[in-house]
Amino acid sequence: MTKSELLSSSTDNESLTTARYPVICIDGPSGAGKGTVAWRLAQSLGYQLLDSGALYRIVGLKAFEAGLLTANSEEVIDEAALLKLTQSLNISFELNDDSGRVDIIVNGERVGEQVRNETVGGYASRVAVFAEVRQSLLELQQNMAKYCGLVADGRDMGTVVFPDAEVKVFLTASAEARAERRVNQLEKSGQAADYQAILQTIKARDERDENRSTAPSKPASDALVLDSSALGADVVYEQIKSYCQQQGICF
Ligand code: DC
């Protein structure tokens, strides 16, 4: 990708500062397969990958460690302190070819896999309802498209963070299909899994993410909506790849 491919239709100073490379948004609920397809697209295009859920997971985990969230109550103890904590975090990502995910580096330290568990997913969803928290993570996300093409995985990539993205996909699946996938994943890694408990947790998180007042999880009006409930990962990837090609992305 060369600088001349940057999307800037004019040469005034403002558009130069806001110029960016192509962006592919993959939004949708947890477990719909966004992470896998986003990773494969980023790998084959040589794009950066923004795992925006990881940003909210880090904030949720740090808020829990700081005593701003408790395991048993929905309440956030001190919103001003939560915002201060969010602003104090210096977060970056590195593609990790071995794990097929991005490594997250926070204030110079690599964060372990604990950030990926369902408990931390719940903390993330709870801190993500705060408009100020979202606002303070906005620039970091938008800056990631300034130096390289970007695949952005999240809930509000196409609606809020990159409203003029070249490609917007909303990848969804029924809560039941997502719960089944999670059970299979856990069982494969030798862990016990309770389908009903997982289903309830998924539904509760969907409900919060879809109904918050700021940047609720929903398809952008110009997004391709794809239901992966009955589709394998390869079919999902091929369908999204071909949609990207239709929208002018060259593989
Ligand atoms: O995609 P994930 O499961 O890692 O996301 C964890 C939570 O973070 C999700 O339940 C809601 C929140 N989130 C968000 O509000 N906006 C995003 N762009 C990404 C995630």
Side-chain angles (χ1 to χ4, degrees):
M1 183 78 52
T2 66
K3 283 271 174 203
S4 62
E5 287 173 278
L6 263 172
L7 300 176
S8 173
S9 55
S10 88
T11 54
D12 62 54
N13 281 340
E14 190 184 339
S15 64
L16 281 177
T17 55
T18 57
R20 60 161 181 77
Y21 282 87
V23 175
I24 298 173
C25 299
I26 312 286
D27 285 305
S30 277
K34 287 175 298 151
T36 308
V37 79
W39 171 268
R40 286 178 70 176
L41 289 170
Q43 287 288 79
S44 49
L45 288 162
Y47 282 15
Q48 269 260 58
L49 179 59
L50 166 58
D51 177 359
S52 63
L55 296 175
Y56 293 96
R57 285 171 180 267
I58 293 291
V59 175
L61 179 64
K62 296 286 176 192
F64 177 74
E65 288 172 354
L68 300 175
L69 297 178
T70 58
N72 302 322
S73 146
E74 282 290 300
E75 197 192 350
V76 168
I77 309 239
D78 180 343
E79 287 174 34
L82 173 66
L83 180 58
K84 213 168 149 198
L85 179 144
T86 308
Q87 289 166 340
S88 75
L89 299 173
N90 184 350
I91 307 174
S92 58
F93 297 112
E94 273 176 21
L95 291 182
N96 180 331
D97 291 330
D98 295 331
S99 68
R101 282 186 147 160
V102 288
D103 284 348
I104 308 151
I105 294 121
V106 182
N107 298 343
E109 280 183 28
R110 213 163 281 267
V111 177
E113 279 297 295
Q114 92 267 22
V115 83
R116 305 283 180 188
N117 70 37
E118 196 44 53
T119 305
V120 176
Y123 298 156
S125 173
R126 284 163 62 190
V127 296
V129 302
F130 293 100
E132 293 88 349
V133 167
R134 304 194 72 85
Q135 182 62 33
S136 77
L137 296 172
L138 190 62
E139 201 178 308
L140 161 70
Q141 297 176 80
Q142 290 173 334
N143 280 346
M144 286 184 69
K146 284 194 178 163
Y147 308 101
C148 182
L150 187 69
V151 183
D153 164 344
R155 303 290 187 290
D156 61 340
M157 299 296 99
T159 51
V160 175
V161 181
F162 299 108
D164 58 351
E166 284 64 26
V167 180
K168 296 181 188 177
V169 175
F170 193 86
L171 184 60
T172 188
S174 69
E176 289 73 16
R178 290 183 283 133
E180 251 171 58
R181 285 175 194 167
R182 185 73 185 134
V183 167
N184 289 338
Q185 239 178 16
L186 288 168
E187 286 177 347
K188 261 194 199 150
S189 64
Q191 299 174 62
D194 175 344
Y195 172 82
Q196 282 305 333
I198 290 172
L199 182 61
Q200 288 323 308
T201 308
I202 285 177
K203 285 184 171 169
R205 186 132 75 91
D206 285 355
E207 161 82 16
R208 193 189 294 110
D209 294 344
E210 288 165 12
N211 294 306
R212 65 184 176 222
S213 53
T214 308
S217 178
K218 64 170 186 190
S221 55
D222 51 352
L224 168 77
V225 178
L226 184 61
D227 187 327
S228 74
S229 303
L231 303 177
D234 286 344
V235 176
V236 170
Y237 174 70
E238 289 305 329
Q239 289 195 8
I240 293 179
K241 179 180 172 187
S242 122
Y243 182 66
C244 289
Q245 286 168 323
Q246 284 168 34
Q247 304 302 307
I249 304 286
C250 296
F251 283 77

